Amino acid sequence: MNSPEGPKGSQTNTLPEIGISQILGLVELLISKGGRDDIYKLAAELSMELGETLTVIKAAELLGLVHTPGGDVVVEGPGLKIIDASIPERKELIRCKLETLPVFKSVRDYLKETVDHEVTREEVLEKLAELIPNEDAESSFSTLVNWGRYAELFGYNDDSQTFYLDSGETTE
Amino acid sequence: MTEQPQTLIELDHVTKRFTLPQGDVTVLQDISFKAVEGEFITIVGPSGAGKSTLLRLMNGLLHPNEGKVLYQGKQMRGINYETAMVFQNFGLLPWLTVSQNIELGLEARTKDPVLRSERVRMYTTKVGLEGYEEAYPRELSGGMKQRVGLARALAIEPSLLLMDEPFSSLDVLTSINLRNELLDIWSDRDNVVNTMIMVTHNIEEAIELSDRIIVLSNRPGRIVGDIRIDLPRPRKKRDKGFIEYVDRVFSLLA
């Protein structure tokens, strides 16, 4: 378990603009290499810029699928299970982790509290601005929507610009 | 399994020419091969080898100038409604949602809206798009867009799935993930479609995925190799056997 790092608090709430497929691809690649690799070598092998590789790794780390001791990236915990899991099981593993991340938890709690379980895009952007004060909230927004949709944690309708609790979901 | 797999599609001495202002160009010459049910075939070749043309001869959008294409033993004369296509650039309509894009191919095939929405739901789930139903393509990553393309093709429940460079506009990690998921779909015998023919220019991708690789020469495309990949799955790029196949295919293209 990572201990919370005080001064970096807001930084860890930032969501990298990385899709779930890319993160799963990284974990699949690492598993095929025995579960670990040197980050620098990995970037070279993939012909990806180091910065770009680090962003994908950061995203996978945020989802609790890998950790990064020294200059290596190592598959851990749910990452070891996710590759052989069925699609619904994968979604469940991601969902469990997202529920612990402040940004997702906060949006979900907000949705549960409102009377009709709907909140607007603007309201969510305000929440993000509180949680990530030094960053552009818009840049985390698409990841919030996409990961949230994948995990079926909440839905988002871009026509009405509203978030809602995903169906089949009972409110506590 | 004691049943002998049936030939699904057969190309018999197929030649395809296009008429251009500067004269006729032969794109494919004397192509003959058969695909049996359950096979995963890739077609590799340099650009301009006529790989995409070959797929369009199999779905009936194009017709050969010489030779014939037989589907389940019958000569094809029009569109082959038993096939579905997955495209390199996804082929999604930007003003439609994920669900509406998946439903698109079904509209011509079934008039029953209940059946259509059941199919949409089933294949949305199968490719991991549950939760994205009302998203628009602009909101999706490349990987999710290609899942929509795949779900739309699968929802038709074709007997042959044709794929034209389906991973080449995706980043390297996303394509690793989608290749694995495609193999899961192909090997799931509960699925209607278990026969797949895919065009790629990526030799490693072809060896990783397919039972057989058909290698085409540069224009006009002729078959210069038909190689069975005899390696257990999952296949690893660093394995000696894998590297030997890479060399073999590469030497045919060089």
Side-chain angles (χ1 to χ4, degrees):
Chain A
M1 296 294 280
N2 294 332
S3 60
E5 293 169 60
K8 282 190 183 171
S10 73
Q11 206 183 325
T12 54
N13 284 336
T14 309
L15 302 176
E17 287 190 74
I18 298 292
I20 294 283
S21 315
Q22 222 177 338
I23 297 167
L24 292 174
L26 172 75
V27 177
E28 282 163 330
L29 178 66
L30 289 169
I31 293 279
S32 77
K33 289 164 168 284
R36 102 183 269 151
D37 204 2
D38 179 279
I39 293 173
Y40 191 77
K41 271 198 232 155
L42 186 73
E45 187 194 316
L46 295 172
S47 310
M48 277 168 73
E49 277 182 33
L50 189 59
E52 203 187 340
T53 312
L54 287 170
T55 310
V56 184
I57 291 171
K58 188 194 167 197
E61 198 167 20
L62 207 55
L63 292 178
L65 305 174
V66 301
H67 68 291
T68 49
D72 283 1
V73 51
V74 183
V75 180
E76 67 166 1
L80 296 165
K81 283 190 261 172
I82 203 160
I83 300 312
D84 292 323
S86 66
I87 285 175
E89 287 163 350
R90 287 179 175 200
K91 284 171 175 269
E92 184 58 29
L93 286 168
I94 301 282
R95 180 193 173 96
C96 286
K97 182 63 191 181
L98 290 186
E99 281 175 335
T100 69
L101 299 181
V103 172
F104 287 90
K105 193 173 177 311
S106 147
V107 171
R108 199 165 148 78
D109 288 349
Y110 197 14
L111 278 167
K112 283 181 185 169
E113 285 159 18
T114 54
V115 181
D116 52 4
H117 305 304
E118 282 191 8
V119 293
T120 65
R121 179 178 194 275
E122 289 307 313
E123 288 169 314
V124 168
L125 281 171
E126 278 170 32
K127 279 268 169 210
L128 284 178
E130 281 170 30
L131 289 157
I132 321 167
N134 303 319
E135 304 266 347
D136 174 17
E138 290 273 357
S139 71
S140 291
F141 184 83
S142 69
T143 302
L144 174 81
V145 171
N146 276 309
W147 292 6
R149 277 173 170 160
Y150 181 83
E152 296 169 60
L153 204 57
F154 43 72
Y156 175 68
N157 183 310
D158 196 51
D159 286 329
S160 59
Q161 306 229 313
T162 46
F163 284 77
Y164 55 90
L165 282 177
D166 205 341
S167 59
E169 183 63 22
T170 52
T171 49
E172 290 123 279
Chain B
M1 300 291 276
T2 51
E3 274 178 52
Q4 196 68 17
Q6 300 286 312
T7 298
L8 196 61
I9 193 163
E10 178 176 1
L11 280 81
D12 184 18
H13 298 286
V14 165
T15 291
K16 180 66 191 170
R17 282 186 290 272
F18 289 116
T19 304
L20 299 176
Q22 57 270 42
D24 278 7
V25 177
T26 303
V27 178
L28 291 166
Q29 191 158 40
D30 198 26
I31 302 287
S32 293
F33 70 89
K34 290 177 189 177
V36 301
E37 276 175 22
E39 242 183 336
F40 193 142
I41 296 178
T42 48
I43 296 164
V44 301
S47 52
K51 302 188 293 290
S52 299
T53 304
L54 196 50
L55 287 186
R56 280 155 186 80
L57 287 163
M58 290 190 256
N59 75 1
L61 278 178
L62 293 174
H63 302 285
N65 296 86
E66 289 165 36
K68 53 193 176 188
V69 183
L70 298 134
Y71 199 82
Q72 291 171 328
K74 288 194 197 114
Q75 186 169 353
M76 276 171 48
R77 301 197 184 273
I79 300 282
N80 183 350
Y81 288 102
E82 293 283 309
T83 64
M85 183 89 95
V86 177
F87 302 95
Q88 177 177 355
N89 292 315
F90 323 125
L92 307 182
L93 298 181
W95 60 89
L96 297 183
T97 63
V98 164
S99 290
Q100 289 164 340
N101 267 290
I102 295 173
E103 194 173 347
L104 211 57
L106 285 169
E107 284 172 5
R109 295 172 202 242
T110 168
K111 297 269 172 272
D112 181 355
V114 179
L115 184 70
R116 285 208 304 259
S117 54
E118 267 174 28
R119 283 272 189 93
V120 170
R121 203 173 314 121
M122 179 176 163
Y123 288 96
T124 300
T125 306
K126 200 168 273 278
V127 302
L129 280 171
E130 238 177 330
Y132 290 88
E133 289 87 345
E134 61 180 2
Y136 289 96
R138 63 172 183 272
E139 299 179 82
L140 303 177
S141 64
M144 291 300 163
K145 282 183 192 157
Q146 194 54 298
R147 282 167 209 265
V148 181
L150 188 59
R152 183 182 53 198
L154 292 173
I156 293 167
E157 303 200 332
S159 49
L160 173 64
L161 185 66
L162 302 170
M163 292 174 282
D164 194 354
E165 302 261 12
F167 307 115
S168 61
S169 33
L170 303 174
D171 67 86
V172 57
L173 293 172
T174 299
S175 60
I176 289 172
N177 175 236
L178 284 205
R179 282 200 292 266
N180 285 328
E181 293 198 7
L182 181 69
L183 274 184
D184 287 344
I185 288 169
W186 173 71
S187 58
D188 178 359
R189 295 291 144 180
D190 289 342
N191 275 337
V192 173
V193 60
N194 297 115
T195 315
M196 299 189 179
I197 300 182
M198 183 179 98
V199 156
T200 178
H201 62 267
N202 181 335
I203 298 172
E204 289 186 341
E205 181 173 286
I207 295 166
E208 184 189 333
L209 294 177
S210 56
D211 296 317
R212 232 172 104 196
I213 301 180
I214 292 171
V215 187
L216 295 184
S217 65
N218 208 345
R219 187 164 293 178
R222 292 192 191 90
I223 295 181
V224 290
D226 186 340
I227 301 169
R228 187 157 291 283
I229 307 299
D230 199 9
L231 294 172
R233 292 183 177 89
R235 296 168 178 167
K236 291 188 180 168
K237 286 179 189 169
R238 289 172 180 190
D239 288 352
K240 192 165 160 274
F242 196 105
I243 294 164
E244 282 169 6
Y245 277 114
V246 173
D247 289 344
R248 217 169 125 192
V249 176
F250 197 76
S251 68
L252 287 167
L253 288 169

